[in-house]
Coordinates of all heavy atoms in Angstrom, one line a residue:
Chain A
R51 N -16.7 -165.9 -58.8 CA -15.5 -165.4 -59.3 C -14.4 -166.3 -59.4 O -13.3 -166.2 -60.3 CB -15.0 -164.1 -58.4 CG -15.9 -162.9 -58.8 CD -15.9 -161.9 -57.8 NE -17.1 -161.0 -58.0 CZ -17.1 -159.8 -58.1 NH1 -16.0 -159.1 -58.1 NH2 -18.2 -159.1 -58.4
L54 N -13.9 -168.0 -62.7 CA -13.2 -167.3 -63.8 C -11.8 -166.8 -63.4 O -11.1 -166.1 -64.1 CB -14.1 -166.0 -64.1 CG -15.4 -166.2 -64.7 CD1 -16.3 -164.9 -64.7 CD2 -15.2 -166.7 -66.2
L56 N -10.9 -164.8 -61.1 CA -10.9 -163.3 -60.9 C -10.9 -163.0 -59.4 O -11.5 -162.0 -59.1 CB -12.1 -162.7 -61.6 CG -12.0 -162.5 -63.1 CD1 -13.2 -162.0 -63.8 CD2 -10.7 -161.6 -63.5
R58 N -9.4 -161.4 -56.4 CA -8.3 -160.5 -56.2 C -7.2 -160.9 -55.2 O -7.4 -161.6 -54.4 CB -9.0 -159.1 -55.6 CG -9.6 -158.4 -56.7 CD -9.5 -156.8 -56.4 NE -10.5 -156.1 -57.2 CZ -11.6 -155.6 -56.8 NH1 -11.9 -155.6 -55.5 NH2 -12.4 -155.1 -57.6
K59 N -6.1 -160.4 -55.7 CA -4.9 -160.7 -54.7 C -5.2 -160.1 -53.4 O -5.7 -159.1 -53.4 CB -3.7 -160.2 -55.3 CG -3.0 -161.0 -56.4 CD -1.8 -160.3 -57.0 CE -1.5 -160.9 -58.4 NZ -0.6 -160.2 -59.2
R84 N -7.9 -165.6 -70.4 CA -8.5 -164.5 -71.1 C -9.3 -164.9 -72.3 O -10.3 -164.3 -72.7 CB -7.4 -163.5 -71.5 CG -6.9 -162.6 -70.4 CD -6.4 -161.2 -71.0 NE -5.2 -161.5 -71.8 CZ -4.0 -161.5 -71.3 NH1 -3.7 -161.4 -70.0 NH2 -3.0 -161.7 -72.2
R85 N -8.9 -165.9 -72.9 CA -9.6 -166.5 -74.0 C -10.9 -167.2 -73.5 O -12.0 -167.2 -74.3 CB -8.9 -167.6 -74.8 CG -9.1 -167.4 -76.3 CD -8.1 -168.2 -77.1 NE -7.6 -169.5 -76.5 CZ -6.5 -169.9 -76.3 NH1 -5.5 -168.9 -76.6 NH2 -6.1 -170.9 -75.8
R87 N -12.6 -166.4 -70.6 CA -13.5 -165.3 -70.1 C -14.3 -164.6 -71.2 O -13.5 -164.2 -72.2 CB -12.6 -164.3 -69.3 CG -12.2 -164.6 -68.0 CD -11.5 -163.6 -67.2 NE -10.5 -164.2 -66.2 CZ -9.2 -163.8 -66.2 NH1 -8.8 -162.9 -66.8 NH2 -8.5 -164.5 -65.3
G88 N -15.5 -164.5 -71.2 CA -16.2 -163.8 -72.2 C -16.6 -164.7 -73.3 O -17.8 -164.9 -73.6
R89 N -15.6 -165.5 -73.8 CA -15.9 -166.4 -75.0 C -16.6 -167.7 -74.5 O -17.5 -168.2 -75.1 CB -14.5 -166.8 -75.6 CG -14.7 -167.7 -76.8 CD -15.3 -167.1 -78.0 NE -15.7 -168.0 -79.0 CZ -16.8 -168.8 -78.9 NH1 -17.6 -168.7 -78.0 NH2 -17.0 -169.6 -79.9
A91 N -17.1 -168.4 -70.7 CA -17.9 -168.2 -69.5 C -17.9 -166.6 -69.2 O -16.9 -166.0 -69.4 CB -17.3 -168.9 -68.3
S92 N -19.1 -166.2 -68.9 CA -19.2 -164.8 -68.7 C -19.8 -164.6 -67.3 O -20.5 -165.5 -66.7 CB -20.0 -164.1 -69.8 OG -19.4 -163.0 -70.1
M93 N -19.9 -163.3 -66.9 CA -20.5 -163.0 -65.5 C -21.2 -161.7 -65.6 O -20.9 -160.7 -66.2 CB -19.4 -163.0 -64.5 CG -19.9 -162.7 -63.1 SD -18.8 -163.2 -61.8 CE -17.6 -161.9 -61.9
M95 N -22.9 -158.8 -63.0 CA -22.8 -158.4 -61.7 C -23.9 -157.6 -61.1 O -24.9 -157.3 -61.9 CB -21.5 -157.8 -61.5 CG -20.3 -158.6 -61.2 SD -18.8 -157.9 -61.7 CE -19.0 -157.5 -63.2
Q96 N -23.9 -157.2 -59.9 CA -25.1 -156.8 -59.2 C -25.7 -155.5 -59.8 O -26.8 -155.5 -60.2 CB -24.8 -156.6 -57.8 CG -26.0 -156.4 -56.9 CD -25.6 -156.6 -55.4 OE1 -24.5 -157.0 -55.0 NE2 -26.5 -156.2 -54.6
F100 N -22.5 -149.6 -61.4 CA -21.0 -149.6 -61.1 C -20.3 -150.6 -62.2 O -19.1 -150.4 -62.3 CB -20.7 -150.1 -59.7 CG -21.4 -149.2 -58.7 CD1 -22.4 -149.6 -57.9 CD2 -21.0 -147.9 -58.5 CE1 -23.0 -148.8 -56.9 CE2 -21.6 -147.0 -57.7 CZ -22.5 -147.5 -56.8
S101 N -21.1 -151.5 -62.8 CA -20.4 -152.4 -63.5 C -20.3 -152.1 -65.0 O -19.7 -152.7 -65.8 CB -21.1 -153.8 -63.4 OG -22.4 -153.7 -63.7
L102 N -20.7 -150.9 -65.4 CA -20.5 -150.4 -66.8 C -19.6 -149.2 -66.7 O -19.7 -148.5 -65.7 CB -21.9 -149.9 -67.3 CG -22.9 -151.0 -67.8 CD1 -24.2 -150.3 -68.1 CD2 -22.3 -151.8 -69.0
N103 N -18.7 -149.2 -67.6 CA -17.7 -148.0 -67.6 C -18.4 -146.6 -67.8 O -19.0 -146.6 -68.9 CB -16.7 -148.3 -68.7 CG -15.5 -147.4 -68.6 OD1 -15.7 -146.3 -68.1 ND2 -14.4 -147.8 -68.9
P104 N -18.4 -145.7 -66.9 CA -19.1 -144.5 -67.1 C -18.7 -143.7 -68.2 O -19.4 -142.8 -68.6 CB -18.8 -143.8 -65.7 CG -17.6 -144.4 -65.2 CD -17.6 -145.9 -65.6
V105 N -17.4 -143.7 -68.7 CA -17.0 -142.8 -69.8 C -16.9 -143.4 -71.2 O -16.4 -142.9 -72.1 CB -15.7 -142.1 -69.5 CG1 -15.8 -141.4 -68.2 CG2 -14.5 -143.1 -69.3
M106 N -17.6 -144.7 -71.3 CA -17.6 -145.2 -72.7 C -19.1 -145.5 -73.1 O -19.9 -145.7 -72.2 CB -16.9 -146.7 -72.6 CG -15.4 -146.5 -72.6 SD -14.6 -148.1 -72.4 CE -14.8 -148.8 -74.0
S110 N -19.9 -148.8 -77.6 CA -18.4 -149.3 -77.6 C -18.1 -150.4 -76.7 O -17.2 -151.1 -76.9 CB -17.5 -148.0 -77.4 OG -17.7 -147.5 -76.2
Q111 N -18.9 -150.5 -75.6 CA -18.6 -151.4 -74.6 C -19.1 -152.9 -75.1 O -18.5 -153.8 -74.7 CB -19.3 -151.1 -73.2 CG -18.7 -149.8 -72.6 CD -19.2 -149.6 -71.2 OE1 -18.9 -150.5 -70.4 NE2 -19.6 -148.5 -70.8
I112 N -20.2 -152.7 -75.8 CA -20.7 -154.1 -76.4 C -19.8 -154.6 -77.5 O -19.4 -155.8 -77.5 CB -22.2 -154.0 -76.8 CG1 -23.0 -153.5 -75.5 CG2 -22.7 -155.3 -77.4 CD1 -24.5 -153.3 -75.9
E114 N -16.9 -154.0 -78.0 CA -15.6 -154.3 -77.4 C -15.6 -155.9 -77.0 O -14.6 -156.6 -77.2 CB -15.2 -153.5 -76.3 CG -13.8 -153.7 -75.7 CD -13.6 -153.0 -74.4 OE1 -14.6 -153.0 -73.5 OE2 -12.5 -152.4 -74.2
A115 N -16.7 -156.2 -76.4 CA -16.8 -157.7 -75.9 C -16.7 -158.6 -77.0 O -16.2 -159.6 -76.9 CB -18.1 -157.8 -75.1
T118 N -13.2 -158.5 -79.0 CA -12.1 -159.2 -78.2 C -11.9 -160.7 -78.7 O -10.7 -161.3 -78.6 CB -12.3 -159.2 -76.6 OG1 -12.6 -157.8 -76.4 CG2 -11.1 -159.6 -75.9
H119 N -13.1 -161.3 -79.1 CA -13.0 -162.7 -79.4 C -13.1 -163.1 -80.8 O -13.0 -164.3 -81.1 CB -13.9 -163.4 -78.4 CG -13.8 -163.3 -76.9 ND1 -12.6 -164.0 -76.3 CD2 -14.3 -162.5 -76.0 CE1 -12.7 -163.6 -75.1 NE2 -13.7 -162.7 -74.8
D142 N -35.4 -149.0 -79.7 CA -34.5 -148.0 -80.4 C -33.0 -148.3 -80.2 O -32.4 -147.4 -79.5 CB -34.9 -146.6 -80.0 CG -34.5 -145.5 -80.9 OD1 -33.8 -145.9 -81.8 OD2 -34.9 -144.5 -80.7
E144 N -30.4 -148.5 -82.0 CA -29.5 -147.6 -82.6 C -29.2 -146.4 -81.7 O -28.0 -145.9 -81.6 CB -30.1 -147.1 -83.8 CG -30.1 -148.1 -85.0 CD -28.8 -148.3 -85.7 OE1 -27.8 -147.5 -85.4 OE2 -28.7 -149.3 -86.5
R145 N -30.2 -145.9 -81.1 CA -30.0 -144.7 -80.3 C -29.2 -145.0 -79.0 O -28.3 -144.3 -78.5 CB -31.4 -144.0 -80.0 CG -31.3 -142.7 -79.2 CD -32.6 -142.2 -79.0 NE -33.4 -142.9 -77.9 CZ -33.2 -142.7 -76.7 NH1 -32.6 -141.6 -76.2 NH2 -33.9 -143.4 -75.7
Y150 N -24.5 -143.0 -72.9 CA -23.6 -143.4 -71.8 C -24.3 -144.1 -70.7 O -25.6 -143.8 -70.5 CB -22.9 -142.1 -71.3 CG -21.8 -141.6 -72.3 CD1 -22.1 -140.6 -73.3 CD2 -20.5 -142.3 -72.3 CE1 -21.1 -140.2 -74.2 CE2 -19.6 -141.8 -73.1 CZ -19.9 -140.8 -74.1 OH -18.9 -140.4 -75.0
H152 N -24.8 -143.5 -67.6 CA -25.7 -142.6 -66.7 C -26.9 -142.2 -67.4 O -27.8 -141.7 -66.7 CB -24.8 -141.5 -66.2 CG -24.6 -140.4 -67.3 ND1 -23.7 -140.6 -68.3 CD2 -25.3 -139.3 -67.5 CE1 -23.8 -139.5 -69.0 NE2 -24.7 -138.8 -68.7
M163 N -26.0 -155.1 -69.9 CA -25.0 -156.0 -69.3 C -25.2 -157.4 -69.9 O -24.2 -158.1 -70.3 CB -25.1 -156.1 -67.8 CG -24.2 -155.1 -67.1 SD -22.5 -155.2 -67.3 CE -21.9 -156.5 -66.2
M166 N -24.1 -157.5 -73.5 CA -22.8 -157.4 -73.6 C -22.1 -158.8 -73.2 O -21.0 -159.2 -73.9 CB -22.2 -156.3 -72.6 CG -20.8 -156.0 -72.6 SD -20.6 -154.4 -71.9 CE -20.3 -154.9 -70.2
M167 N -22.6 -159.4 -72.2 CA -21.9 -160.7 -71.7 C -22.4 -161.9 -72.6 O -21.6 -162.9 -72.7 CB -22.3 -160.9 -70.3 CG -21.6 -160.0 -69.3 SD -19.9 -159.9 -69.7 CE -19.4 -158.8 -68.5
Chain B
M1 N -35.0 -144.0 -90.1 CA -33.6 -143.4 -90.0 C -34.0 -141.8 -89.8 O -33.3 -141.3 -89.0 CB -32.9 -143.5 -91.3 CG -31.4 -143.7 -91.2 SD -30.9 -144.7 -89.9 CE -29.3 -144.0 -89.5
D3 N -36.4 -140.5 -88.5 CA -36.8 -140.3 -87.0 C -35.6 -140.3 -86.0 O -35.7 -139.5 -85.2 CB -37.7 -141.5 -86.7 CG -38.3 -141.4 -85.3 OD1 -38.8 -140.2 -85.0 OD2 -38.4 -142.3 -84.5
L4 N -34.7 -141.2 -86.3 CA -33.5 -141.2 -85.5 C -32.7 -139.9 -85.5 O -32.3 -139.5 -84.5 CB -32.6 -142.4 -85.8 CG -33.0 -143.7 -85.5 CD1 -32.2 -144.9 -86.1 CD2 -33.2 -143.9 -83.9
T7 N -34.3 -137.1 -83.4 CA -34.3 -137.2 -81.9 C -33.2 -136.5 -81.2 O -33.4 -135.6 -80.3 CB -34.5 -138.6 -81.4 OG1 -35.3 -139.4 -82.3 CG2 -34.9 -138.7 -80.0
P8 N -31.9 -136.8 -81.6 CA -30.8 -136.1 -81.0 C -30.9 -134.6 -81.2 O -30.5 -133.8 -80.4 CB -29.6 -136.8 -81.5 CG -30.0 -137.7 -82.6 CD -31.5 -137.8 -82.6
Q11 N -33.2 -133.0 -79.1 CA -32.7 -132.9 -77.7 C -31.7 -131.8 -77.5 O -31.6 -131.1 -76.6 CB -32.1 -134.2 -77.4 CG -33.0 -135.2 -76.8 CD -32.4 -136.4 -76.2 OE1 -31.3 -136.6 -76.5 NE2 -33.1 -137.2 -75.4
R144 N 4.9 -153.3 -55.2 CA 6.2 -153.9 -55.8 C 7.2 -152.8 -56.0 O 7.1 -151.7 -55.7 CB 5.9 -154.5 -57.2 CG 4.5 -155.4 -57.1 CD 5.0 -156.9 -56.9 NE 5.5 -157.4 -58.2 CZ 4.7 -157.8 -59.2 NH1 3.4 -157.8 -59.0 NH2 5.1 -158.3 -60.3
L248 N -9.1 -148.9 -60.3 CA -8.8 -150.3 -60.4 C -9.6 -151.2 -59.5 O -9.8 -152.4 -59.7 CB -7.3 -150.6 -60.3 CG -6.5 -150.1 -61.4 CD1 -5.0 -150.2 -61.2 CD2 -6.8 -150.8 -62.8
N249 N -10.2 -150.6 -58.5 CA -10.9 -151.3 -57.5 C -12.5 -151.3 -57.8 O -13.3 -151.9 -57.1 CB -10.8 -150.9 -56.1 CG -9.5 -151.3 -55.4 OD1 -9.2 -152.5 -55.7 ND2 -8.8 -150.5 -54.7
S250 N -12.8 -150.6 -58.9 CA -14.2 -150.5 -59.2 C -14.7 -151.7 -60.1 O -14.0 -152.5 -60.6 CB -14.7 -149.2 -59.9 OG -13.5 -148.6 -60.5
E251 N -16.1 -151.9 -60.0 CA -16.7 -152.9 -60.6 C -16.5 -153.0 -62.1 O -16.4 -154.1 -62.7 CB -18.2 -153.0 -60.3 CG -18.6 -153.4 -58.9 CD -18.5 -155.0 -58.8 OE1 -19.6 -155.6 -59.0 OE2 -17.5 -155.5 -58.5
Y252 N -16.6 -151.9 -62.7 CA -16.5 -152.0 -64.2 C -15.2 -152.6 -64.7 O -15.1 -153.0 -65.8 CB -16.8 -150.5 -64.8 CG -15.7 -149.6 -64.6 CD1 -14.6 -149.6 -65.5 CD2 -15.8 -148.7 -63.6 CE1 -13.7 -148.7 -65.3 CE2 -14.8 -147.7 -63.5 CZ -13.8 -147.7 -64.3 OH -12.8 -146.8 -64.1
I253 N -14.2 -152.4 -63.8 CA -12.9 -153.1 -64.2 C -13.1 -154.6 -64.1 O -12.5 -155.3 -65.0 CB -11.8 -152.6 -63.2 CG1 -11.5 -151.1 -63.4 CG2 -10.5 -153.4 -63.3 CD1 -11.0 -150.8 -64.7
T254 N -13.8 -155.2 -63.2 CA -14.1 -156.6 -63.1 C -14.8 -156.9 -64.4 O -14.6 -157.9 -65.1 CB -14.9 -157.0 -61.9 OG1 -14.2 -156.4 -60.8 CG2 -15.1 -158.4 -61.7
T255 N -15.8 -156.1 -64.7 CA -16.6 -156.3 -66.0 C -15.6 -156.5 -67.2 O -15.8 -157.4 -68.0 CB -17.6 -155.2 -66.2 OG1 -18.3 -155.1 -65.1 CG2 -18.4 -155.5 -67.5
A256 N -14.7 -155.5 -67.2 CA -13.8 -155.5 -68.4 C -13.0 -156.8 -68.4 O -12.7 -157.4 -69.5 CB -12.8 -154.3 -68.2
R257 N -12.5 -157.4 -67.2 CA -11.7 -158.5 -67.2 C -12.6 -159.7 -67.6 O -12.2 -160.5 -68.2 CB -11.1 -158.7 -65.8 CG -10.2 -157.6 -65.5 CD -9.2 -158.1 -64.3 NE -8.2 -157.1 -64.1 CZ -7.9 -156.3 -63.1 NH1 -8.8 -156.5 -62.0 NH2 -7.0 -155.5 -63.0
V258 N -13.9 -159.7 -67.0 CA -14.8 -160.8 -67.5 C -14.9 -161.0 -68.9 O -15.0 -162.0 -69.5 CB -16.2 -160.6 -66.7 CG1 -17.1 -161.6 -67.3 CG2 -16.1 -160.8 -65.2
K259 N -14.8 -159.8 -69.6 CA -15.0 -159.8 -71.1 C -13.8 -160.5 -71.8 O -13.7 -160.8 -73.0 CB -15.0 -158.4 -71.6 CG -16.4 -157.6 -71.5 CD -16.3 -156.3 -72.2 CE -17.1 -155.3 -71.7 NZ -16.9 -153.9 -72.4
G260 N -12.7 -160.7 -71.0 CA -11.5 -161.4 -71.5 C -10.5 -160.4 -72.2 O -9.7 -160.7 -72.9
L261 N -10.6 -159.1 -71.7 CA -9.7 -158.1 -72.2 C -8.3 -158.2 -71.6 O -8.1 -158.8 -70.5 CB -10.1 -156.7 -71.9 CG -11.5 -156.3 -72.4 CD1 -11.9 -154.9 -72.0 CD2 -11.6 -156.3 -74.0
S262 N -7.3 -157.9 -72.4 CA -6.0 -158.0 -71.9 C -5.8 -156.9 -70.7 O -6.4 -155.9 -70.8 CB -4.9 -157.7 -73.1 OG -5.0 -156.4 -73.4
E263 N -4.8 -157.1 -69.9 CA -4.5 -156.1 -68.7 C -4.2 -154.7 -69.3 O -4.7 -153.9 -68.7 CB -3.3 -156.7 -68.0 CG -3.4 -156.8 -66.5 CD -4.7 -156.7 -65.8 OE1 -5.7 -157.4 -66.2 OE2 -4.8 -155.9 -64.9
T265 N -5.4 -153.3 -72.0 CA -6.7 -152.7 -72.4 C -7.4 -152.3 -71.2 O -8.1 -151.2 -71.2 CB -7.5 -153.7 -73.2 OG1 -6.5 -154.2 -74.3 CG2 -8.6 -152.9 -74.0
R269 N -7.5 -148.5 -71.6 CA -8.9 -148.0 -72.2 C -9.9 -147.8 -71.1 O -10.8 -147.0 -71.3 CB -9.2 -149.1 -73.2 CG -10.2 -148.6 -74.2 CD -11.0 -149.7 -75.0 NE -10.1 -150.2 -75.9 CZ -10.3 -151.3 -76.6 NH1 -11.4 -152.0 -76.3 NH2 -9.5 -151.8 -77.4
H270 N -9.8 -148.7 -70.1 CA -10.9 -148.6 -69.1 C -10.6 -147.7 -67.9 O -11.3 -146.7 -67.7 CB -11.4 -149.9 -68.6 CG -12.3 -150.6 -69.7 ND1 -13.6 -150.6 -69.7 CD2 -11.9 -151.3 -70.8 CE1 -14.1 -151.3 -70.7 NE2 -13.1 -151.7 -71.4
A271 N -9.7 -148.0 -67.2 CA -9.4 -147.3 -66.0 C -8.7 -146.0 -66.3 O -9.2 -144.9 -65.8 CB -8.3 -148.1 -65.0
R273 N -9.0 -144.0 -68.8 CA -10.1 -143.0 -69.3 C -10.8 -142.3 -68.3 O -11.4 -141.2 -68.4 CB -10.9 -143.8 -70.3 CG -10.6 -143.7 -71.7 CD -11.9 -144.0 -72.6 NE -11.3 -144.5 -73.8 CZ -12.2 -144.7 -74.8 NH1 -13.5 -144.7 -74.6 NH2 -11.7 -145.2 -76.0
N274 N -10.9 -143.0 -67.1 CA -11.8 -142.4 -66.1 C -11.0 -141.5 -65.2 O -11.6 -140.8 -64.5 CB -12.3 -143.6 -65.2 CG -13.7 -144.2 -65.8 OD1 -14.8 -143.6 -65.6 ND2 -13.6 -145.2 -66.6
R276 N -8.7 -139.4 -66.6 CA -8.3 -138.2 -67.3 C -8.8 -136.9 -66.8 O -8.2 -135.9 -66.7 CB -8.8 -138.4 -68.8 CG -8.1 -139.4 -69.6 CD -8.6 -139.3 -71.0 NE -10.0 -139.5 -71.1 CZ -10.6 -139.7 -72.2 NH1 -10.0 -139.9 -73.4 NH2 -11.9 -139.7 -72.2
I277 N -10.1 -137.0 -66.3 CA -10.8 -135.8 -65.9 C -10.1 -135.2 -64.7 O -9.8 -134.1 -64.6 CB -12.3 -136.1 -65.6 CG1 -12.9 -136.8 -66.8 CG2 -13.0 -134.9 -65.1 CD1 -13.9 -137.7 -66.6
F347 N -14.4 -134.1 -71.8 CA -14.0 -135.6 -71.4 C -15.0 -136.3 -70.7 O -15.0 -137.6 -70.8 CB -12.7 -135.5 -70.7 CG -11.4 -135.5 -71.7 CD1 -10.5 -134.5 -71.5 CD2 -11.3 -136.4 -72.7 CE1 -9.4 -134.4 -72.3 CE2 -10.2 -136.2 -73.7 CZ -9.2 -135.3 -73.4
D348 N -15.8 -135.7 -69.8 CA -16.8 -136.3 -69.0 C -18.2 -136.2 -69.5 O -18.8 -135.2 -69.5 CB -16.7 -135.8 -67.6 CG -17.4 -136.6 -66.6 OD1 -18.1 -137.6 -67.0 OD2 -17.6 -136.3 -65.5
P349 N -18.6 -137.5 -70.0 CA -20.0 -137.4 -70.6 C -21.1 -137.0 -69.7 O -22.1 -136.5 -70.0 CB -20.3 -138.9 -71.0 CG -19.2 -139.7 -70.4 CD -18.1 -138.7 -70.0
R350 N -20.8 -137.2 -68.4 CA -21.8 -136.8 -67.3 C -21.9 -135.3 -67.1 O -22.9 -134.8 -66.6 CB -21.5 -137.4 -66.1 CG -21.8 -139.0 -66.1 CD -21.0 -139.7 -64.9 NE -19.6 -139.6 -65.1 CZ -18.7 -140.2 -64.4 NH1 -19.1 -141.0 -63.4 NH2 -17.4 -140.1 -64.6
A351 N -20.9 -134.6 -67.6 CA -20.9 -133.1 -67.4 C -21.6 -132.4 -68.5 O -21.8 -131.3 -68.4 CB -19.5 -132.6 -67.3
K352 N -21.9 -133.1 -69.6 CA -22.5 -132.4 -70.8 C -24.0 -132.1 -70.5 O -24.7 -132.7 -69.8 CB -22.4 -133.3 -72.0 CG -21.1 -133.1 -72.7 CD -20.9 -134.1 -73.7 CE -19.4 -134.1 -74.3 NZ -19.0 -135.3 -74.9

Side-chain angles (χ1 to χ4, degrees):
Chain A
R51 280 166 200 231
L54 293 171
L56 280 175
R58 280 210 193 108
K59 280 175 200 166
R84 280 206 296 273
R85 215 171 36 241
R87 286 182 207 133
R89 178 71 190 84
S92 220
M93 181 162 73
M95 277 158 299
Q96 192 169 349
F100 302 113
S101 51
L102 289 168
N103 189 330
V105 299
M106 284 172 76
S110 61
Q111 294 191 56
I112 298 178
E114 180 188 47
T118 308
H119 298 287
D142 203 352
E144 287 277 356
R145 188 179 71 89
Y150 285 94
H152 72 278
M163 268 304 272
M166 187 162 85
M167 288 311 179
Chain B
M1 211 50 202
D3 183 42
L4 283 175
T7 322
Q11 273 186 346
R144 307 266 282 279
L248 288 173
N249 279 325
S250 24
E251 278 285 271
Y252 72 84
I253 293 298
T254 310
T255 306
R257 293 202 173 112
V258 168
K259 285 189 205 172
L261 301 178
S262 68
E263 226 16 49
T265 314
R269 197 193 289 167
H270 284 265
R273 266 200 202 186
N274 276 279
R276 282 187 312 194
I277 300 147
F347 279 126
D348 189 355
R350 285 161 295 190
K352 270 172 195 158

